C-alpha cells in the first residue's frame, strides 16, 4: 500500500509541476496577477508530494518490503537501519528520486525566500524550475520508477546494499552533492527568467548570489566528502582518480567557482553581464551532463551506475531541450548588452576576468579528458583508450598554478582601479619572503623538492596577502578587536574560501610528493618500516559484524621504539551478497596519516599488507571544509537578510 | 542592431557536444564489434590462474572452439549473463574460459563459489593488461576464438538466450563445420 501511495504522490507531483510550469508563465503572458501568484502554492505542493513519495520509499526500506523490486535489490533484513535509510539513494532509481526531491526543496525555498522579487520575476523563476521538475519526474515515472513491484512472486530476502556504500560517508555524500548539483538550477532559473523578461540588469545578480553561494558550498562539501570516502573506503589510499564520475562533479564546481566570482562583479560593478548569464547556464548544464554521463552508460566508469540506453536517450533529449533552448534564448536575448563601467588592467574586475577565463579553460580541459575516449572511439572506430591521471596532471596542473599566482594578487585588488593601494614591489617582496621561508623549512627538513617548494611558496604568498589585507582593514581603527569582529560576514566568507584553497593546495602537493607506501607479505610477528615508523603485524583474528564476517589484522605501529598506535584493518565478507570488502584502518593526524589495508592471504598465515604514510593528507579535506564554510558565511551576510526581512510582510500570505 | 554572432558560439559548441554524445550512444547501443579485431590471433599473454599457481598463456586457449568471457564481480551484467553461460557450458558443449578483469582474486573466488563456476579455467587479469590487448570496453564481453586461436566474433554486453541463439550459436556452428 505504502509503495503505491509513494507512486501516486509522484504522479500528483508531476501534475503539480506541470501546473507550476504552465500557470505562472501563462500569468506573465496574459498579465494576470492571480495566475502569477499561483507559483508559490504550486512549489509548496510539489515539495510536499515529492517528500511524501520519498518517505514512502524510505518506509518500504525500513519495513523490508521486498515486493518492491528496488528494495529487494538494495536492502536486506540484516542491514543496520542507518544503512537501510541510506540505501534509499544507494542505486539509480532512489538516488534520482532524491535528486528530484532536492529540486522540489530548492523550488520551495525559492518560493519562500524570494519575495523581494517583482511578481513577474518570481513567476518566471518558479515556472522555469517547474519545467525542470516536469522533466525529472517524468524521467522517474517513465524509465526509473523506484516503486515497481515484483508481484506475485517476490523474494523473502533482499540481495543487500552494495557493501562499498555501507558506510557513513555514503550516507551523507550523495545528499550534499545533489543539493549542490541541483542547487545550480536556481541561478540557472534566474538567468533564464532574466533573459526571458529581457531586463538583463544587475538585479538578477543580486538575487542569484546567495543561492549560487549556498549551492556551491554544498557541492564543495559533497566533493570533499566523496574524496574522503574514496580514501578510507576503497582501500588503496587514493583520494582523487580523475574518474568520469568525479569529473562530472568537478566540472560544475569549477564553473560554479567562476560564477561565484563573476556574479560579484556583475552585482557590484555591472560588468560581464552576459558572460555571467552564460556561466549560470553552463554550471547547471554541466550538472545535467554529469547526470547523463553517470546514468547513460556512454562512458564506462568504475562507479558503474545502473546503465540503460533508454534512460540515456531520455536524458539526452532532455539535455537538448533544456540546454539547447537556453542557449538559443541566450543567443537571441543577450544581443546588444554592453556594460559601460570602465576598469583598468589591475582592477578586481580584470583579475576576476582572468580567474573566469582560467577556470573555464580548466573546465574545458577536464571535459576534453572526460569525453576524449568517446570522441576517439566515435571518429576512428578504434579501440577504447583511457585518459588517465597523466593527462590531467599535465594539463590541469599548470592552469591551476597560474590561477593560484593570480589569486595571490587578487586578494589585494580593488574594484575599478587597484593602482592606488597596490604595489608590485611589495608583492615581489612578499613572494621572495614566501620562497625564502619555504626553502629554509624544506632545507631544515631535508626535503628539497622543487614542485613542493613552488606550490607551498605560492600558498604562503596568498596567506601573507590575506593577512595583510585584514591588517590594512584594521589599520586606522582604534578598537582592533571590535573592528575585526564587525567586518561583514561576506568578507570572512572570502577569507575562509581562499584560505581553504591554500590549505588544500598544501595538502595535495605534500601528499602527492611525500607519500610513501609498501606492499609486503607479512607473517605474524614480522615488522616493516616505512617513513620512520615500524609496522608490526601482530596477529589475525575472526570478527563477526551485523551482516558480515571479517578477518581482522592487528598491526602495532611504533616510532623509535615508542608505541604510536594499533591499527585493525579488516577483510570483510558480506554474507548476503558474498562480496569481499577491504576495510582499511588508519591513524589520522594533523601532519600525517598512517594507513594500513589488508590484501590477500598468501600461504598459511601470511597476508599481503599495504602500508602507507601520507603526510598532510587531512589538509585536502580540511581545506575543502573551509571553502564550504566560506561559501556559507557569505550567504549569511546581513545584506541578504535585510532585504528579505523588509519584504516578508508584503507577500507573506501568498504561499498559503 | 547588428547581430553579435559570438553569442552563438555556446550554442554551436553545445550542438557539437550533443552530436558527439549521440554518436557515442548509437555506437554503444548495438553491441557492435570493431572489425579490426576480427580474424586477428588471440593476443599473447602470461598471467596466473585463479585457483592455482599455474601460469596461463595463449596456448591454453587454443585447441577447441572457445568462448572467452571477460567478467568481474563488480559488474552487475556479469551476474545477469551467468545463468545463460552456465547453460551454454553444460548443454551446448562449448568450452568457456574466464578472464577475471580488474578484480580481486579472493572476491572472484567467492563470487564463483556462490554462483557456480561453469568455466574451464580463469585467467587473472587484475591490471587489465590482457583486456587492453583485447580492446575491452568493460565487462562483460565475450569472444569466440577458433581452433587456431583466431578471434572470430566479439560480443559486448551480457550474453542472453537471444544473443546465443541469434549470433554466438550460428558463428560457432559455422566454425565447427568449416574446420
Amino acid at each position: 500500500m505504502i509503495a503505491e501511495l509513494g507512486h501516486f504522490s509522484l504522479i500528483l507531483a508531476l501534475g503539480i509541476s506541470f501546473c507550476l510550469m504552465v500557470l505562472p508563465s501563462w500569468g506573465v503572458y496574459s498579465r494576470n496577477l492571480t495566475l502569477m501568484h499561483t507559483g508559490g502554492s504550486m512549489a509548496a505542493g510539489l515539495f510536499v508530494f515529492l517528500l511524501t513519495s520519498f518517505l514512502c520509499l524510505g518506509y518500504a526500506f525500513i519495513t523490508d518490503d521486498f515486493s518492491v523490486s528496488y528494495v529487494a535489490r538494495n536492502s536486506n533484513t540484516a542491514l543496520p537501519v542507518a544503512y537501510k535509510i541510506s540505501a534509499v539513494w544507494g542505486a539509480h532509481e532512489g538516488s534520482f528520486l532524491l535528486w528530484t526531491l532536492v529540486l522540489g526543496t530548492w523550488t520551495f525555498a525559492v518560493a519562500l525566500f524570494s519575495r523581494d522579487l517583482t511578481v513577474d520575476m518570481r513567476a518566471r523563476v518558479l515556472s522555469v524550475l517547474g519545467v525542470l521538475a516536469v522533466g525529472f519526474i517524468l524521467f522517474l515515472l517513465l524509465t526509473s520508477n523506484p516503486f515497481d513491484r515484483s508481484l506475485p512472486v517476490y523474494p523473502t530476502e533482499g540481495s543487500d546494499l552494495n557493501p562499498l556504500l555501507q558506510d557513513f560517508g555514503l550516507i551523507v555524500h550523495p545528499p550534499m552533492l545533489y543539493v549542490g548539483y541541483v542547487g545550480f538550477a536556481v541561478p540557472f532559473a534566474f538567468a533564464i527568467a532574466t533573459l526571458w523578461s529581457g531586463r538583463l540588469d544587475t538585479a538578477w545578480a543580486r538575487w542569484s548570489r546567495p543561492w549560487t553561494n549556498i549551492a556551491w558550498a554544498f557541492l564543495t562539501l559533497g566533493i570533499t566528502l566523496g574524496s574522503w570516502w574514496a580514501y578510507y573506503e576503497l582501500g588503496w589510499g587514493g583520494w582523487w582518480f580523475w574518474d568520469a564520475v568525479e569529473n562530472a562533479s568537478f566540472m560544475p564546481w569549477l564553473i560554479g567557482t567562476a560564477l561565484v566570482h563573476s556574479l560579484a562583479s556583475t552585482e557590484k560593478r555591472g560588468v560581464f553581464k552576459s558572460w555571467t548569464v552564460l556561466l549560470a547556464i553552463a554550471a547547471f548544464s554541466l550538472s545535467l551532463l554529469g547526470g547523463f554521463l553517470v546514468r547513460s552508460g556512454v562512458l564506462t566508469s568504475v562507479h558503474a551506475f545502473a546503465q540503460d540506453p533508454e534512460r540515456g536517450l531520455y536524458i539526452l533529449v532532455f539535455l537538448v531541450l533544456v540546454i539547447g533552448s537556453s542557449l538559443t534564448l541566450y543567443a537571441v536575448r543577450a544581443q546588444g548588452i554592453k556594460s559601460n563601467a570602465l576598469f583598468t588592467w589591475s582592477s578586481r574586475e580584470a583579475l576576476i576576468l582572468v580567474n573566469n577565463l582560467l577556470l573555464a579553460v580548466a573546465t574545458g580541459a577536464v571535459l576534453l579528458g572526460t569525453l576524449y575516449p568517446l570522441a576517439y572511439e566515435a571518429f576512428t572506430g578504434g579501440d577504447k583508450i583511457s585518459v588517465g591521471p597523466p593527462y590531467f596532471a599535465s594539463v590541469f596542473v599548470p592552469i591551476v598554478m597560474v590561477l593560484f599566482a593570480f589569486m595571490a594578487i587578487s586578494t589585494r585588488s580593488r574594484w575599478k582601479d587597484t593602482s592606488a593601494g597596490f604595489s608590485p614591489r611589495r608583492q615581489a617582496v612578499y613572494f621572495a619572503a614566501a620562497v625564502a621561508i619555504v626553502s629554509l623549512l624544506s632545507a631544515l627538513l631535508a626535503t628539497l623538492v622543487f614542485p613542493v617548494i613552488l606550490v607551498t611558496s605560492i600558498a604562503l604568498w596568498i596567506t601573507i596577502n590575506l593577512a595583510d589585507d585584514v591588517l590594512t582593514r584594521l589599520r586606522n581603527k582604534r578598537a582592533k578587536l571590535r573592528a575585526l569582529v564587525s567586518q561583514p560576514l561576506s568578507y570572512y566568507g572570502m577569507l575562509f574560501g581562499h584560505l581553504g584553497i591554500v590549505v588544500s593546495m598544501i595538502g595535495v602537493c605534500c601528499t602527492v610528493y611525500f607519500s610513501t607506501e609498501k606492499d609486503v607479505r607479512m607473517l605474524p610477528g614480522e615488522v616493516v618500516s616505512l617513513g620512520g615508523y615500524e609496522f608490526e603485524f601482530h596477529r589475525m583474528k575472526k570478527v563477526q559484524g551485523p551482516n558480515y564476517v571479517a578477518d581482522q589484522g592487528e598491526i602495532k605501529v611504533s616510532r623509535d621504539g615508542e608505541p604510536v598506535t594499533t591499527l585493525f584493518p579488516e577483510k570483510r565478507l558480506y554474507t548476503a551478497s558474498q562480496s569481499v570488502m577491504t576495510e582499511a584502518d588508519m591513524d589520522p593526524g594533523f601532519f600525517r596519516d598512517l594507513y594500513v589495508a589488508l590484501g590477500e592471504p598468501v600461504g598459511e598465515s601470511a597476508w599481503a599488507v599495504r602500508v602507507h604514510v601520507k603526510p598532510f593528507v587531512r589538509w585536502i579535506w580540511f581545506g575543502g571544509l573551509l571553502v564550504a564554510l566560506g561559501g556559507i558565511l557569505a550567504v549569511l551576510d546581513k545584506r541578504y537578510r535585510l532585504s528579505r526581512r523588509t519584504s516578508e510582510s508584503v507577500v507573506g500570505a501568498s504561499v498559503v | 542592431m547588428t547581430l553579435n554572432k559570438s553569442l552563438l558560439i555556446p550554442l554551436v559548441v553545445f550542438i557539437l557536444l550533443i552530436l558527439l554524445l549521440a554518436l557515442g550512444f548509437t555506437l554503444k547501443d548495438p553491441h557492435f564489434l570493431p572489425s579490426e579485431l576480427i580474424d586477428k590471433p588471440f593476443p599473447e599473454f602470461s598471467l596466473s590462474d585463479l585457483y592455482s599457481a599455474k601460469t596461463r598463456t595463449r596456448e591454453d586457449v587454443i585447441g577447441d572452439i572457445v568462448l572467452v568471457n571477460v567478467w568481474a564481480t563488480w559488474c552487475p551484467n556479469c551476474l545477469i549473463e551467468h545463468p545463460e553461460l552456465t547453460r551454454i557450458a553444460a548443454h551446448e558443449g562449448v568450452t568457456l574460459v574466464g578472464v577475471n578483469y580488474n578484480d580481486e582474486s579472493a572476491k572472484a573466488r567467492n563470487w564463483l563459489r556462490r554462483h557456480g563456476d561453469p568455466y574451464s579455467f580463469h585467467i587473472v587479469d587484475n591490471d587489465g593488461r590482457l583486456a587492453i590487448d583485447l580492446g575491452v570496453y568493460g565487462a562483460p564481453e565475450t569472444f569466440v576464438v577458433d581452433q587456431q586461436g583466431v578471434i572470430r566474433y566479439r560480443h559486448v554486453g551480457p550474453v542472453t538466450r537471444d544473443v546465443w541463439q541469434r549470433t554466438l550459436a550460428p558463428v560457432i556452428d559455422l566454425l565447427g563445420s568449416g574446420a
Side-chain angles (χ1 to χ4, degrees):
Chain A
M1 245 338 268
I2 297 294
E4 277 65 38
L5 182 66
H7 191 183
F8 186 61
S9 296
L10 201 56
I11 296 172
L12 278 179
L14 177 67
I16 295 175
S17 63
F18 191 75
C19 296
L20 180 62
M21 172 172 85
V22 173
L23 293 184
S25 43
W26 181 253
V28 170
Y29 179 72
S30 62
R31 293 167 194 276
N32 181 331
L33 263 181
T34 320
L35 279 180
M36 282 195 238
H37 273 303
T38 54
S41 41
M42 296 293 165
L46 179 66
F47 170 70
V48 167
F49 283 107
L50 285 176
L51 185 65
T52 310
S53 181
F54 187 78
L55 291 178
C56 288
L57 188 60
Y59 181 84
F61 267 96
I62 292 173
T63 56
D64 298 318
D65 184 354
F66 297 128
S67 69
V68 177
S69 25
Y70 180 72
V71 178
R73 266 182 285 128
N74 297 291
S75 185
N76 182 281
T77 45
L79 197 63
V81 177
Y83 295 142
K84 280 184 185 168
I85 295 170
S86 71
V88 175
W89 54 85
H92 166 76
E93 289 88 344
S95 74
F96 204 79
L97 181 62
L98 175 64
W99 169 293
T100 310
L101 172 65
V102 170
L103 179 77
T105 315
W106 277 111
T107 308
F108 187 43
V110 169
L112 280 181
F113 297 116
S114 59
R115 293 173 191 156
D116 57 333
L117 256 62
T118 56
V119 178
D120 74 306
M121 256 329 252
R122 186 161 175 262
R124 287 178 216 264
V125 169
L126 288 176
S127 65
V128 173
L129 290 169
V131 174
L132 300 177
V134 169
F136 290 167
I137 300 174
L138 262 181
F139 177 64
L140 270 174
L141 288 172
L142 294 180
T143 72
S144 341
N145 183 7
F147 298 104
D148 272 346
R149 297 261 196 191
S150 58
L151 290 174
V153 188
Y154 62 87
T156 48
E157 181 57 287
S159 52
D160 210 0
L161 176 67
N162 183 346
L164 267 180
L165 309 183
Q166 296 186 23
D167 172 78
F168 172 76
L170 249 286
I171 297 182
V172 283
H173 161 66
M176 294 291 146
L177 203 60
Y178 290 180
V179 169
Y181 266 149
V182 184
F184 282 136
V186 181
F188 169 79
F190 275 106
I192 297 302
T194 309
L195 287 173
W196 177 9
S197 74
R199 294 192 300 264
L200 198 76
D201 47 21
T202 58
W204 88 271
R206 190 167 52 79
W207 294 326
S208 313
R209 266 188 92 183
W211 299 103
T212 312
N213 274 337
I214 196 143
W216 177 80
F218 273 105
L219 188 58
T220 312
L221 217 51
I223 295 175
T224 308
L225 279 170
S227 159
W228 174 59
W229 168 81
Y231 169 76
Y232 74 76
E233 186 68 19
L234 292 182
W236 8 313
W239 44 272
W240 190 262
F241 304 101
W242 294 110
D243 173 77
V245 174
E246 284 173 336
N247 294 346
S249 70
F250 196 44
M251 290 187 285
W253 187 84
L254 289 170
I255 288 295
T257 311
L259 178 62
V260 163
H261 288 88
S262 98
L263 272 173
S265 340
T266 306
E267 186 203 358
K268 299 256 180 171
R269 296 281 305 146
V271 291
F272 317 141
K273 283 180 209 155
S274 94
W275 170 248
T276 308
V277 166
L278 185 61
L279 282 181
I281 297 174
F284 183 62
S285 304
L286 286 169
S287 295
L288 284 182
L289 185 72
F292 173 77
L293 292 180
V294 176
R295 291 162 200 274
S296 66
V298 161
L299 288 180
T300 359
S301 148
V302 288
H303 283 67
F305 229 120
Q307 296 176 346
D308 178 347
E310 191 192 339
R311 288 172 191 159
L313 191 65
Y314 183 99
I315 306 180
L316 196 64
V317 171
F318 185 68
L319 280 177
V320 170
L321 291 179
V322 171
I323 305 173
S325 58
S326 308
L327 290 175
T328 312
L329 187 69
Y330 172 78
V332 174
R333 285 297 174 93
Q335 296 289 346
I337 294 170
K338 284 204 180 67
S339 61
N340 30 25
L342 295 173
F343 55 88
T344 64
W345 67 270
S346 67
S347 64
R348 181 167 287 179
E349 291 93 317
L351 286 168
I352 284 182
L353 190 63
V354 172
N355 147 307
N356 274 216
L357 289 177
L358 288 170
L359 282 169
V361 171
T363 311
V366 176
L367 186 65
L368 193 68
T370 312
L371 294 181
Y372 187 73
L374 189 63
Y376 181 84
E377 191 188 334
F379 292 119
T380 65
D383 292 344
K384 185 88 171 178
I385 51 151
S386 71
V387 174
Y391 162 82
F392 292 101
S394 62
V395 175
F396 186 76
V397 172
I399 301 171
V400 168
M401 292 310 294
V402 178
L403 185 66
F404 287 154
F406 274 100
M407 198 171 128
I409 314 169
S410 67
T411 45
R412 307 307 317 280
S413 66
R414 296 290 174 256
W415 295 114
K416 203 169 174 183
D417 186 16
T418 303
S419 52
F422 183 83
S423 136
R425 241 179 69 198
R426 188 195 283 185
Q427 287 305 322
V429 171
Y430 283 170
F431 184 60
V435 174
I437 293 171
V438 169
S439 308
L440 196 68
L441 266 176
S442 313
L444 281 177
L445 298 167
T447 46
L448 282 164
V449 182
F450 173 71
V452 178
I453 293 180
L454 181 68
V455 173
T456 325
S457 299
I458 295 177
L460 189 58
W461 183 26
I462 299 172
T463 316
I464 294 173
N465 270 309
L466 287 172
D468 188 15
D469 195 56
V470 173
L471 292 177
T472 313
R473 282 184 171 235
L474 303 183
R475 189 176 298 150
N476 298 319
K477 303 279 171 17
R478 220 171 300 145
K480 304 270 184 211
L481 196 66
R482 191 187 303 160
L484 189 66
V485 174
S486 65
Q487 292 297 326
L489 277 178
S490 59
Y491 179 69
Y492 279 107
M494 186 282 281
L495 279 184
F496 279 114
H498 288 139
L499 214 54
I501 296 288
V502 165
V503 171
S504 287
M505 257 167 88
I506 297 174
V508 168
C509 186
C510 291
T511 307
V512 167
Y513 283 97
F514 295 143
S515 288
T516 44
E517 61 177 274
K518 259 186 193 171
D519 261 314
V520 280
R521 177 182 179 276
M522 291 182 98
L523 280 162
E526 270 191 278
V527 178
V528 58
S529 46
L530 181 72
Y533 294 89
E534 284 83 45
F535 297 79
E536 189 205 335
F537 186 61
H538 189 61
R539 58 173 175 168
M540 290 296 295
K541 61 175 180 220
K542 291 270 179 200
V543 181
Q544 175 78 46
N547 52 347
Y548 61 84
V549 286
D551 289 309
Q552 190 187 62
E554 186 176 334
I555 289 169
K556 295 190 166 170
V557 187
S558 58
R559 182 172 193 145
D560 306 327
E562 295 290 312
V564 177
T565 181
T566 307
L567 297 172
F568 299 95
E570 290 179 3
K571 199 89 188 174
R572 290 182 184 168
L573 173 70
Y574 283 82
T575 37
S577 58
Q578 286 293 304
S579 37
V580 180
M581 287 284 312
T582 300
E583 196 74 16
D585 196 18
M586 59 212 74
D587 177 43
F590 190 70
F591 289 114
R592 57 101 190 93
D593 266 27
L594 305 176
Y595 184 108
V596 179
L598 285 180
E600 304 295 316
V602 273
E604 276 298 295
S605 51
W607 280 74
V609 180
R610 196 179 305 142
V611 287
H612 298 250
V613 177
K614 303 188 89 71
F616 289 87
V617 70
R618 299 272 138 187
W619 289 42
I620 300 173
W621 309 302
F622 181 60
L625 292 183
L626 279 179
V627 174
L629 177 67
I632 289 167
L633 282 178
V635 182
L636 296 177
D637 196 290
K638 275 205 293 275
R639 250 161 5 109
Y640 300 117
R641 267 181 299 166
L642 266 182
S643 62
R644 199 179 300 149
R645 201 173 301 142
T646 47
S647 56
E648 223 154 30
S649 51
V650 185
V651 213
S654 73
V655 175
V656 188
Chain B
M1 193 175 76
T2 54
L3 197 69
N4 184 352
K5 291 203 182 70
S6 63
L7 292 175
L8 283 168
I9 295 172
L11 186 61
V12 173
V13 171
F14 172 72
I15 291 171
L16 292 176
L17 194 67
I18 285 296
L19 285 179
L20 175 66
L21 290 179
L23 203 60
F25 208 63
T26 48
L27 284 182
K28 198 80 183 187
D29 194 32
H31 308 293
F32 82 114
L33 43 144
S35 52
E36 74 246 46
L37 263 167
I38 304 306
D39 299 335
K40 287 272 170 66
F42 199 84
E44 293 284 349
F45 65 94
S46 170
L47 293 163
S48 54
D49 186 86
L50 188 62
Y51 293 107
S52 64
K54 219 170 149 183
T55 303
R56 294 290 178 182
T57 63
R58 183 167 178 272
E59 301 305 312
D60 294 307
V61 181
I62 305 172
D64 208 350
I65 299 174
V66 179
L67 279 185
V68 177
N69 175 252
V70 181
W71 70 280
T73 56
W74 45 260
C75 140
N77 281 332
C78 297
L79 191 56
I80 290 172
E81 68 172 359
H82 198 69
E84 180 60 19
L85 289 179
T86 310
R87 192 194 65 82
I88 292 171
H91 300 295
E92 308 286 351
V94 178
T95 313
L96 196 59
V97 172
V99 176
N100 185 236
Y101 164 56
N102 279 1
D103 211 343
E104 284 179 34
S105 297
K107 277 189 191 176
R109 281 188 293 264
N110 266 306
W111 194 91
L112 292 166
R113 205 171 303 140
R114 179 172 162 80
H115 301 292
D117 185 358
Y119 298 84
S120 305
F121 62 89
H122 293 267
I123 302 159
V124 176
D125 189 25
N126 285 347
D127 309 326
R129 261 176 296 173
L130 175 59
I132 288 171
D133 289 341
L134 283 168
V136 164
Y137 294 100
E141 287 196 20
T142 306
F143 296 83
V144 179
V145 181
D146 73 7
Q147 296 92 328
Q148 284 76 41
V150 175
I151 296 173
R152 285 310 186 81
Y153 189 79
R154 171 184 187 197
H155 175 76
V156 179
V159 173
T160 57
R161 179 67 62 91
D162 196 48
V163 169
W164 167 255
Q165 281 168 350
R166 279 165 191 256
T167 56
L168 296 181
V171 169
I172 290 172
D173 285 347
L174 205 68
L175 290 174
S177 63

